[in-house]
Amino acid sequence: MKIKTLIVDDEPFAIEVIEGYLANFPEISVTATCANAIQAFQLLQKNKVDLMFLDVKMPGLSGTELLRSLKNPPKVIFTTAFQDYAVEGFDLNAVDYLLKPIPFDRFLKAMDKVFDQFKLQQSIIHQSDPVLSGRSSESYLYLRVDRKMMKVNVNDIYWIESLKDYIKVVLKEKVLISKQKISLLDDLLPESQFVRIHRSFIVSLDKVESYHSYSVEINGKELPIGRYYKAACQRRFFSPTT
């Protein structure tokens, strides 16, 4: 499977460098390059992209503003000459953050993270066949818990909490701890059932008992809504159709 990749940068030389680096990876297909974020936004409305190399500081619309505007963004590696944007980049769940000029060995480390995430994405979530099983389709996660892979029905999940390199998956009867990044679960879980409310929390929509502009309550537990996630939460919780 080819990983469809978009490069967005207002510097032609920076695009050439990344394209040259990516030529070493047969799994990558560079489908397009864009000189600014507006072009990228327009392209992404019509084309599916798996991975985007995104410059942070560009005229008109910044890379971080572009990423926030996308409903279903691809995986992103930020590229920039300015280290000050690193924290914001990781708040937006970037796979990695590369400082220009980008050394090839550092680029390799970023690509390792990309391939790890795509491999996990292909193997971690499975869906039962309703024709074979004679029941409605159900999605399952397979999470490594205590040295074994545990099957978890996504309908049983109340919320997921990030604990640095681990996640806490809260179910009705128990809590599971798995070595996993919350950003991967954010990509895999059905968007119709779950919403990311904070860099550290994903919640099940049908388990939410009450909500406010700054928090939601599930099973008596109050969970915060992060400032970068307020707009998305407002669309899901506060729209007249919900």
Side-chain angles (χ1 to χ4, degrees):
M1 183 190 75
K2 290 283 187 178
I3 298 174
K4 296 178 182 178
T5 303
L6 171 66
I7 305 171
V8 186
D9 203 302
D10 62 336
E11 300 174 13
F13 178 71
I15 291 178
E16 289 178 14
V17 169
I18 295 173
E19 282 187 304
Y21 285 171
L22 290 175
N24 293 282
F25 301 94
E27 305 91 340
I28 298 292
S29 172
V30 178
T31 57
T33 64
C34 294
N36 58 63
I38 299 295
Q39 289 180 5
F41 179 84
Q42 293 170 340
L43 183 145
L44 290 167
Q45 302 311 300
K46 301 177 182 178
N47 301 274
K48 183 182 183 302
V49 170
D50 304 307
L51 174 66
M52 179 165 57
F53 286 85
L54 182 59
D55 189 17
V56 175
K57 195 170 184 180
M58 291 180 287
L61 186 71
S62 72
T64 53
E65 289 170 335
L66 168 63
L67 188 56
R68 289 197 197 96
S69 73
L70 299 174
K71 185 178 180 181
N72 296 302
K75 297 184 189 305
V76 168
I77 294 177
F78 279 116
T79 61
T80 183
F82 303 94
Q83 191 169 5
D84 295 344
Y85 295 99
V87 173
E88 185 178 9
F90 286 115
D91 277 343
L92 292 169
N93 305 314
V95 175
D96 211 337
Y97 186 98
L98 299 177
L99 285 174
K100 300 175 183 176
I102 305 168
F104 186 58
D105 60 339
R106 181 64 183 84
F107 189 87
L108 285 175
K109 291 180 179 178
M111 293 307 296
D112 276 342
K113 294 180 183 179
V114 168
F115 292 134
D116 282 346
Q117 289 201 14
F118 276 103
K119 286 175 185 175
L120 283 168
Q121 185 169 319
Q122 290 174 9
S123 63
I124 196 171
I125 192 163
H126 301 269
Q127 193 169 50
S128 64
D129 188 328
V131 175
L132 296 177
S133 64
R135 60 182 179 182
S136 60
S137 176
E138 293 181 328
S139 295
Y140 298 91
L141 293 173
Y142 282 87
L143 301 176
R144 184 173 295 279
V145 179
D146 296 331
R147 299 184 182 180
K148 62 184 177 183
M149 299 303 291
M150 183 170 291
K151 182 179 180 180
V152 179
N153 189 325
V154 299
N155 296 322
D156 295 335
I157 297 173
Y158 278 62
W159 74 83
I160 298 169
E161 180 177 352
S162 174
L163 306 171
K164 292 187 178 179
D165 292 332
Y166 291 79
I167 55 170
K168 179 169 72 173
V169 181
V170 179
L171 310 173
K172 182 177 181 180
E173 302 289 341
K174 57 188 173 181
V175 174
L176 304 176
I177 304 295
S178 176
K179 189 171 184 180
Q180 189 62 261
K181 292 286 189 181
I182 195 171
S183 56
L184 179 61
L185 275 296
D186 193 25
D187 290 337
L188 295 177
L189 289 167
E191 185 185 0
S192 60
Q193 292 179 250
F194 294 87
V195 62
R196 184 81 173 265
I197 64 167
H198 188 278
R199 63 182 298 184
S200 298
F201 292 98
I202 298 171
V203 302
S204 171
L205 286 167
D206 67 357
K207 304 296 193 302
V208 172
E209 298 167 350
S210 64
Y211 56 85
H212 194 276
S213 59
Y214 55 81
S215 68
V216 302
E217 185 175 334
I218 300 179
N219 201 27
K221 174 78 171 181
E222 189 173 302
L223 305 176
I225 294 176
R227 59 175 177 158
Y228 292 121
Y229 300 88
K230 282 188 176 181
C233 289
Q234 285 176 346
R235 288 195 295 269
R236 304 298 293 276
F237 292 122
F238 293 95
S239 66
T241 57
T242 59

